[in-house]
């Protein structure tokens, strides 16, 4: 769907992106994550051919990004600020949108409204909608026709908790519609539940890339339940394993080695292992580690 190779972008003398490479494959829900100013919007706008990159290449559905028009309705975009005809109804927004795009096939107003959960509100004026509903109407407009690749820039920006819940539920549903999604966001907690894959940008460079399982499973974290806590803590000290959490006889360790190796070392030391499993990290934890690592590097 998207192939980004060694992408670089300068604004004058300021380097906004450098050496960024990643792919978005069909069926993925791909997150472009990073703190503010890390280059997410620049990457998205370069990918959509709205901004000329300084180096590298971007192909979207097989076309160079500057020729995105050749994808003809197969790519849809939702920007963070809803662009709606505020004095017109939901239905009018959808019918005018379809006319503007000369849309003759694919999903019509009824179908997209059902998909975004706004059925029954056809006659409501856009200006009378909550921000969450406006965001869903923007997504409905993007889904009209037959897009295969939906790009969303900060879809949760500015929403209250109810709006966040509504939009998250909708994005989760789209996963089952056979759409490929690319989402930029700094809302890590929500993204962890939605994404299948992610790229983390920090200061314009790729700091991590992979499936969510790879990103959060990596790092040699294990959760163990043991019969001898004291001996286990001694072993942790001996091997410089970090104790991340401790509750009764259960420890979460960052050992930097595989769960099997941790198990072997515990058993060899005569510790009875009741339970041992890889401990998933979280996106906020991963993020913190990456930011710390970047700050520590010269
Ligand atoms: P994000 O979307 O992650 O917040 P951006 O892609 O907007 O990050 O910005 C990346 C970097 O490029 C930032 O340092 C930002 O200040 C800079 N930048 C973005 N747009 C412009 C612009 N039009 N002119 C100059 N610098 C810009």
């Amino acid at each position: 769907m998207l192939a980004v190779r060694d992408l670089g972008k300068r604004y004058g003398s300021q380097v906004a992106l450098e050496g960024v490479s990643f792919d978005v494959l069909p069926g993925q829900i791909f997150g472009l994550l990073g703190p503010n100013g890390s280059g997410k919007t620049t990457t998205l706008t370069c990918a959509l051919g709205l901004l000329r990159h300084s180096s590298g290449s971007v192909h979207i559905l097989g076309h160079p990004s500057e020729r995105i028009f050749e994808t003809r309705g197969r790519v849809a975009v939702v920007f963070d600020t809803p662009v709606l005809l505020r004095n017109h109804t939901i239905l009018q927004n959808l019918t005018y949108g379809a006319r503007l795009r000369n849309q003759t096939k694919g999903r019509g107003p009824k179908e997209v409204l059902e998909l975004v959960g706004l059925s029954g509100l056809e006659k409501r004026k856009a200006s009378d909608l909550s921000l969450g509903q406006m965001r869903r109407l923007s997504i409905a407009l993007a889904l009209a026709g037959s897009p295969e690749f939906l790009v969303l820039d900060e879809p949760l920006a500015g929403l209250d908790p109810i709006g966040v819940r509504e939009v998250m539920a909708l994005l989760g549903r789209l996963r089952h519609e056979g759409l490929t999604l690319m989402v930029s966001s700094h809302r890590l907690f929500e993204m962890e539940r939605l994404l299948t894959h992610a790229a983390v940008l920090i200061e314009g460079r790729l700091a991590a890339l992979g499936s969510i399982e790879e990103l959060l499973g990596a790092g040699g974290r294990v959760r163990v339940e043991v019969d001898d806590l004291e001996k286990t803590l001694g072993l942790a000290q001996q091997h410089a394993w970090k104790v991340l959490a401790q509750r009764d006889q259960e420890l979460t360790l960052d050992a930097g080695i595989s769960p099997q190796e941790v198990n072997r070392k515990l058993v060899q030391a005569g510790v009875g292992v009741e339970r041992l499993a890889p401990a998933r990290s979280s996106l906020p934890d991963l993020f913190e580690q990456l930011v710390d690592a970047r700050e520590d590097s010269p």
Side-chain angles (χ1 to χ4, degrees):
M1 288 281 167
L2 185 70
V4 177
R5 290 291 170 275
D6 210 14
L7 184 67
K9 173 68 189 171
R10 285 168 183 274
Y11 293 105
S13 62
Q14 197 197 345
V15 178
L17 288 178
E18 200 175 340
V20 173
S21 300
F22 63 88
D23 288 310
V24 179
L25 302 179
Q28 291 183 346
I29 303 195
F30 189 96
L32 208 49
L33 311 176
N36 286 333
S38 58
K40 302 182 295 294
T41 305
T42 303
T43 305
L44 275 191
T45 39
C46 287
L48 295 167
L50 299 171
L51 189 68
R52 193 176 283 242
H53 45 278
S54 313
S55 56
S57 70
V58 185
H59 284 81
I60 186 157
L61 300 176
H63 300 278
S65 58
E66 53 274 23
R67 303 185 64 78
I68 191 171
F69 55 86
E70 291 188 14
T71 62
R72 292 177 205 287
R74 293 169 63 201
V75 178
V77 189
V78 180
F79 288 109
D80 57 350
T81 314
V83 184
L84 302 169
L85 300 166
R86 296 177 68 87
N87 288 323
H88 291 74
T89 66
I90 287 183
L91 189 61
Q92 284 169 330
N93 267 276
L94 286 167
T95 45
Y96 294 163
R99 221 177 287 160
L100 210 60
R101 283 193 304 248
N102 209 9
Q103 181 199 329
T104 50
K105 53 187 174 55
R107 294 187 191 96
K110 191 170 175 315
E111 197 178 338
V112 290
L113 286 180
E114 241 161 61
L115 211 53
V116 303
L118 289 176
S119 295
L121 298 181
E122 286 83 351
K123 291 191 178 143
R124 176 125 2 136
K125 252 200 208 171
S127 57
D128 292 338
L129 300 176
S130 69
L131 187 57
Q133 289 171 324
M134 282 192 197
R135 186 75 39 80
R136 284 191 283 151
L137 178 54
S138 303
I139 297 174
L141 277 160
L143 290 174
S146 11
E148 296 159 38
F149 187 30
L150 181 62
V151 180
L152 302 114
D153 189 14
E154 296 283 0
L156 304 178
L159 297 181
D160 63 13
I162 295 173
V164 167
R165 205 173 58 195
E166 290 169 354
V167 172
M168 283 295 295
L170 165 59
L171 296 180
R173 282 202 299 278
L174 293 184
R175 200 176 169 163
H176 307 293
E177 285 287 310
L179 279 149
T180 304
L181 263 60
M182 177 158 83
V183 185
S184 88
S185 183
H186 60 268
R187 302 280 298 245
L188 303 175
F189 179 74
E190 286 83 6
M191 288 300 122
E192 187 176 323
R193 287 180 289 147
L194 177 73
L195 302 176
T196 61
H197 294 74
V200 182
L201 288 174
I202 295 184
E203 293 174 9
R205 287 165 185 263
L206 202 59
L209 174 68
S211 71
I212 290 298
E213 290 308 320
E214 285 164 348
L215 290 172
L216 303 186
R221 286 166 184 242
V222 287
R223 187 164 299 137
V224 287
E225 199 181 323
V226 291
D227 66 352
D228 191 334
L229 199 62
E230 220 164 294
K231 216 182 248 181
T232 308
L233 288 171
L235 211 60
Q237 204 170 13
Q238 185 189 333
H239 292 293
W241 299 341
K242 237 190 265 171
V243 179
L244 301 171
Q246 180 178 344
R247 207 171 128 243
D248 303 327
Q249 296 296 100
E250 191 185 272
L251 291 171
T252 306
L253 301 169
D254 186 353
I257 53 176
S258 71
Q260 290 85 343
E261 279 177 90
V262 174
N263 188 41
R264 198 173 309 129
K265 289 206 171 0
L266 287 169
V267 173
Q268 273 168 2
V271 177
V273 179
E274 307 282 339
R275 231 162 24 92
L276 186 142
R280 232 173 106 100
S281 175
S282 68
L283 264 186
D285 280 351
L286 172 74
F287 211 68
E288 209 171 298
Q289 283 166 16
L290 294 171
V291 171
D292 287 351
R294 170 64 74 190
E295 280 168 3
D296 290 345
S297 68

